[in-house]
Amino acid sequence: MATQSYSFFDIFEKGQINEIVIPLIQRDYAQGREEQSVNVVRKRFLNSLYSAITETPICLDFIYGDINDKGVLTPLDGQQRLTTLFLLHYYVAKKENVPEEKCAFLRRFSYETRYSARCFCAKLVDFTPDFDKENISAQVINQPWFPLSWKKDPTIGSMLVMLDAIHERFKNVSDIWKKLSDGVISFYFLPIKDMGLTDELYIKMNSRGKPLTMFEHFKAELERELKKIDPDLASRIILKTDKDWTDFLWKYCKNKETEIVDDKFMSYFRFVCDIISYLNGKSVRLENVDDFDLIETYFSAKDKDETLKNIKLLESFFDCWINIEGFDSPSDFLASFMGSAHADNKIVVGDKTDILEDCLSSYGNKKGKIRSFPLNRIILLYAIVYYLQHQDEISRKDFIRRIRIINNLIQNSTDELSERSERNRIPAILKQTQYLMKNGDFDDIADNGFNFNQLTEEKEKMLLLQKQPEVQEDLYKLEDHGLLKGQVSIIGLENLQYADRFISLFSCDKDKIDCALSTCGFYAQEERRGRYQFASTNDSAWNSLFHKSANKGFDRTKSVLHDLLSKSETFSNAKLDDLIADFLKNCENQKRFPWEYYYIRYSEFRPQKYGKMSNENAEENPYLFLVLWTKQLWSQNAYIPYLKIVDAENLSKEFFGQRLIYSDAHVVCKNDAYLLRKNDAQETLIEELKIKQDENGIDCENRVDKLRDFLHNQGLI
């Protein structure tokens, strides 16, 4: 019997097959297993069958088998498809009341993997479900001929799941039997003559029944779609997938026992598909499609022109990493311009300097999972790939400069790197990246892309380096500092001579830096009415201060910082201690205690966690800052620092640390006094303890000492 196309109907007649028997050596029926990967395959296969019945006929490719002298077909490859076709034809025959003589061939399909499976197939053909009920499997299990032990048979269990899935997909479709009879679902059968079914043959043909991986299913579907457009194109892509791209990706499988090339391929494939989506102005996170849906979305034969464009892009995204001129590997290429600390001709990207390896290991975009390859690295990797694709147009020198600019923009566009439905900036950012990589300047027409402040600064840097190339090293040193991350506006392009001083200063203890900075003036920035950002030992607080935002007071912070930097060419903890000590001594000698004195003198004033404080009216009440221990809101751990310093034990959490409570009275603060009040309903004033202040509202006595002495004299502490 030569290779030709058959339907499940005519394989028995035209193919002269008396019976189809799944042999003992075959694995159990698997398309009905309750596993995530199998669920995907089952859903897609049934969708393909549904489309064949309702829209366009389908061919299920080759099925291989051996036919003995009694006309018994033993499948070597195709068991899963044949079993699903058997179940589909059984379902339709019963649902549409097909006469027995027309569906008798169903009795000629059998399983030999276990007695239970063989008996189940025979019993099932005689059973007619109630199709008004949703669950066919439950009806089968409730039959008297169904022993409970059969529920443990994996083949039977899978068949029951598949029957329910078929019912769910086809219950509202009519006249299916006629379409099946017309051959809308077909396959090629390849007989293997003059060879007995042996273990050796089976091992060669089907790897001892090892199931196809999801990746193999994926490749088969991709090839099938591309073949519809161009068979040569399909062959080229699959050949590259199996050879060139696999060889390239294999080097990234460090643990050969636990890491497989398939996963690396799919991670990078998802990355490419996401780039395609972004370039088309769409959001990826909102789509949440699976890997097979990506084929349908970007590589379907339904849209030939788009698919050809996307395939060209896919090829170039893979091919560009192979044989990079001047480098032995992609890792060597990336290491030549990426690092974890400042170095000549390198950008700072953190510890994961091999961004491609990071992508291959962690990129994902699946339902219920958070993508561990973030948007900032997507943009950076895209910029690198774009350069590799256009090396004939972009010099290495230009690339090094442009990738630095892009890295600066990425690091300072945290809020803009968003794909929220109401504000998806990623498409615009990718186009800005592409324009900058190609042309070396900015597209002023582009809107809603990178952070505006950073774009402005990068334009100013371009002009500066054109006029004064000798300042490049000082500029790059500042850009690469961990607290600046590409934005140097807190120093200013006009003050790049302070680069070494800044680096020296921030090699010191950060709490000492905070205190030394406060000796030069009030540097905090107002985030919103009443909430202020100060420094702390936490780098995030300094980052907030040093990067332009909607906060008020950036220029004030800059001025105070410049004042400190002007005091010395180099800094050390000892130098800072001297500055702090001199300031405190002068205040005490002059009996002049500005708010900064208390901030420096008492550690309780300095919010060590997030650097947040609150003062609803700082201009009129400069002494009434409340220390916060959260990023935004008041909590029970908030406190007025004078009160906590003097008597932390009686500080009230109920009143957010704004009063000291004793048995009969409590103490609260005013800007120029303490109030001792009764704990009655009217909070009757017992005594007002005034704090001496000069004509400018500056304390002339230490209010902490005054409160401590007062409470001691009252016998409260």
Side-chain angles (χ1 to χ4, degrees), residues 287-312:
E287 290 181 1
N288 270 328
V289 296
D290 65 32
D291 296 335
F292 289 90
D293 289 333
L294 294 176
I295 295 176
E296 183 177 346
T297 302
Y298 303 111
F299 305 101
S300 169
K302 295 177 181 178
D303 193 337
K304 179 180 177 180
D305 291 340
E306 278 299 309
T307 293
L308 289 174
K309 183 175 73 173
N310 294 340
I311 278 291
K312 182 179 180 181

Side-chain angles (χ1 to χ4, degrees), residues 519-673:
T519 67
C520 300
F522 184 81
Y523 67 80
Q525 296 172 25
E526 188 174 12
E527 293 183 333
R528 66 182 186 190
R529 181 170 176 78
R531 192 179 72 214
Y532 288 79
Q533 176 69 65
F534 286 79
S536 79
T537 54
N538 189 326
D539 282 357
S540 65
W542 292 100
N543 278 310
S544 296
L545 287 169
F546 289 168
H547 291 79
K548 279 188 175 181
S549 64
N551 293 354
K552 297 177 182 178
F554 181 85
D555 289 338
R556 179 178 60 211
T557 306
K558 179 177 179 178
S559 177
V560 173
L561 176 62
H562 283 188
D563 192 3
L564 177 58
L565 292 174
S566 69
K567 294 181 182 299
S568 179
E569 292 186 0
T570 60
F571 292 89
S572 64
N573 286 333
K575 175 66 177 178
L576 298 180
D577 284 337
D578 289 342
L579 291 173
I580 294 165
D582 288 345
F583 176 83
L584 295 176
K585 184 177 180 181
N586 287 335
C587 289
E588 291 161 358
N589 288 340
Q590 297 174 17
K591 293 190 180 302
R592 189 173 186 275
F593 303 94
W595 181 85
E596 288 79 14
Y597 169 83
Y598 301 104
Y599 185 86
I600 298 167
R601 174 70 176 78
Y602 303 102
S603 61
E604 288 86 351
F605 270 79
R606 301 190 294 279
Q608 297 302 310
K609 196 167 187 181
Y610 300 112
K612 307 291 186 181
M613 299 183 77
S614 177
N615 189 333
E616 292 294 335
N617 194 346
E619 290 187 9
E620 293 186 12
N621 301 304
Y623 286 93
L624 293 187
F625 276 93
L626 180 80
V627 177
L628 302 178
W629 279 85
T630 63
K631 286 185 176 182
Q632 296 183 353
L633 304 176
W634 287 19
S635 71
Q636 290 187 336
N637 291 320
Y639 61 86
I640 295 289
Y642 317 106
L643 303 182
K644 183 174 183 178
I645 294 167
V646 173
D647 190 5
E649 184 177 343
N650 288 299
L651 189 68
S652 170
K653 289 189 174 184
E654 180 183 356
F655 289 92
F656 302 104
Q658 295 182 85
R659 59 177 64 183
L660 298 175
I661 296 183
Y662 302 99
S663 58
D664 298 320
H666 65 269
V667 177
V668 295
C669 288
K670 289 178 62 179
N671 190 64
D672 62 350

Side-chain angles (χ1 to χ4, degrees), residues 133-368:
K133 297 181 179 179
E134 290 296 318
N135 199 320
I136 293 179
S137 61
Q139 298 180 54
V140 174
I141 292 171
N142 286 334
Q143 296 307 303
W145 49 263
F146 189 99
L148 292 180
S149 60
W150 283 9
K151 294 171 67 175
K152 297 180 180 180
D153 186 308
T155 290
I156 295 175
S158 289
M159 285 185 175
L160 292 174
V161 170
M162 180 58 84
L163 280 172
D164 286 339
I166 289 172
H167 181 49
E168 176 64 26
R169 195 71 185 90
F170 292 95
K171 61 185 177 183
N172 296 321
V173 183
S174 58
D175 299 325
I176 303 176
W177 189 260
K178 182 181 185 306
K179 295 175 182 178
L180 292 176
S181 303
D182 292 338
V184 295
I185 300 173
S186 62
F187 53 84
Y188 291 105
F189 178 70
L190 177 64
I192 301 175
K193 296 182 179 180
D194 303 323
M195 298 180 70
L197 182 60
T198 64
D199 285 353
E200 180 181 1
L201 173 61
Y202 183 71
I203 292 168
K204 288 180 180 179
M205 292 298 297
N206 207 27
S207 223
R208 286 194 181 274
K210 182 179 179 181
L212 291 175
T213 66
M214 286 292 288
F215 184 60
E216 289 166 328
H217 281 292
F218 175 86
K219 282 197 301 181
E221 185 155 338
L222 177 61
E223 182 179 17
R224 184 159 48 245
E225 286 299 314
L226 296 182
K227 275 183 176 179
K228 297 175 185 177
I229 298 174
D230 183 346
D232 291 338
L233 171 66
S235 297
R236 184 177 80 242
I237 295 301
I238 298 304
L239 179 61
K240 284 188 174 185
T241 302
D242 289 338
K243 189 178 184 300
D244 296 347
W245 298 346
T246 293
D247 291 345
F248 146 61
L249 294 170
W250 176 252
K251 299 172 185 177
Y252 282 90
C253 295
K254 294 181 178 180
N255 188 329
K256 307 303 182 186
E257 294 182 1
T258 60
E259 295 183 276
I260 58 175
V261 172
D262 301 2
D263 293 339
K264 306 293 183 187
F265 179 93
M266 291 310 306
S267 289
Y268 195 63
F269 181 85
R270 293 180 204 119
F271 165 71
V272 177
C273 289
D274 284 356
I275 292 296
I276 293 172
S277 181
Y278 288 135
L279 291 176
N280 288 328
K282 299 178 181 178
S283 176
V284 172
R285 295 189 180 213
L286 298 179
E287 290 181 1
N288 270 328
V289 296
D290 65 32
D291 296 335
F292 289 90
D293 289 333
L294 294 176
I295 295 176
E296 183 177 346
T297 302
Y298 303 111
F299 305 101
S300 169
K302 295 177 181 178
D303 193 337
K304 179 180 177 180
D305 291 340
E306 278 299 309
T307 293
L308 289 174
K309 183 175 73 173
N310 294 340
I311 278 291
K312 182 179 180 181
L313 187 142
L314 178 71
E315 272 193 282
S316 66
F317 264 67
F318 274 97
D319 288 346
C320 71
W321 294 105
I322 300 172
N323 299 323
I324 302 174
E325 185 176 352
F327 299 94
D328 293 333
S329 68
S331 297
D332 291 340
F333 164 69
L334 294 169
S336 72
F337 68 91
M338 301 176 78
S340 57
H342 174 71
D344 289 343
N345 296 318
K346 290 191 176 185
I347 60 173
V348 176
V349 294
D351 295 333
K352 293 182 179 180
T353 55
D354 193 332
I355 192 172
L356 177 61
E357 180 181 31
D358 187 19
C359 176
L360 297 176
S361 300
S362 62
Y363 201 95
N365 183 30
K366 293 187 174 182
K367 280 187 177 180

